Amino acid sequence: MKKVLFLLSFLFLGFSSLMAQQVEYKVVTSVESIVPNGIGRSRMISVEDERNYKDFTSEHDEGRNKSNRGDIRVDKFEETKLLNFYNIGGIRFENIAANDALVSSKLSTMSEEGWELAFVTSAVESDGGKDDGNGIFITRYVFKRVKK
């Protein structure tokens, strides 16, 4: 009976420690230009600095946050060049394939480092007509892993 109680308490403690594990998140963002003629800039960004959102958050009934917006900026980030979707000849499928290879490489590296892809979200701000030559395709890859 003592052995059973010991085993149950050991299992409970092990399960409790698993439940108490904290998770950290990391976001990797790709911004791919859909500006005609290839004049836009496309990048994959991964931040290396940390920020606490609470330092830049205020409640409406307390007034504005006293921090400087410039304090939000980070100095340490990884920037990977990507190719633009368009060039003078139009859409470049080779560029899309090259970008896919770079993004896949980043995702594989993150996985090797213990990160699990939690979800992906994307959006487009596209050409709005004759006088709008701007546009981006943005994708955010959200990773998580158990804190070490």
Side-chain angles (χ1 to χ4, degrees):
M1 181 67 175
K2 288 182 182 180
K3 288 181 182 180
V4 171
L5 288 174
F6 177 77
L7 181 60
L8 286 174
S9 64
F10 181 77
L11 289 174
F12 176 75
L13 289 173
F15 182 73
S16 297
S17 68
L18 284 176
M19 296 300 291
Q21 291 179 339
Q22 291 190 354
V23 176
E24 62 181 325
Y25 292 90
K26 184 170 182 128
V27 177
V28 175
T29 301
S30 66
V31 179
E32 296 170 283
S33 173
I34 53 176
V35 175
N37 300 324
I39 59 174
R41 295 185 344 178
S42 298
R43 301 286 189 272
M44 183 171 34
I45 305 297
S46 176
V47 69
E48 302 300 321
D49 274 348
E50 291 187 16
R51 292 290 182 271
N52 184 339
Y53 80 95
K54 292 178 183 180
D55 295 339
F56 305 98
T57 303
S58 61
E59 301 220 4
H60 289 280
D61 61 353
E62 293 180 12
R64 293 280 179 206
N65 187 308
K66 305 296 188 245
S67 65
N68 182 346
R69 290 185 74 166
D71 294 338
I72 298 172
R73 298 195 193 292
V74 296
D75 293 324
K76 294 182 192 174
F77 63 94
E78 186 179 77
E79 178 181 57
T80 304
K81 291 182 180 180
L82 298 175
L83 298 172
N84 297 332
F85 282 175
Y86 288 103
N87 70 5
I88 292 176
I91 193 165
R92 296 288 300 187
F93 296 106
E94 297 88 353
N95 290 4
I96 295 170
N99 289 356
D100 287 351
L102 291 173
V103 170
S104 295
S105 174
K106 178 67 174 179
L107 297 177
S108 295
T109 299
M110 297 285 297
S111 179
E112 291 167 5
E113 293 172 353
W115 293 98
E116 176 187 343
L117 184 60
F119 59 91
V120 178
T121 185
S122 61
V124 175
E125 191 289 310
S126 61
D127 189 344
K130 180 179 167 186
D131 295 327
D132 181 11
N134 296 313
I136 61 170
F137 184 81
I138 186 168
T139 305
R140 287 215 162 103
Y141 304 89
V142 179
F143 294 87
K144 68 178 183 177
R145 73 176 175 190
V146 175
K147 280 189 176 184
K148 296 177 182 179

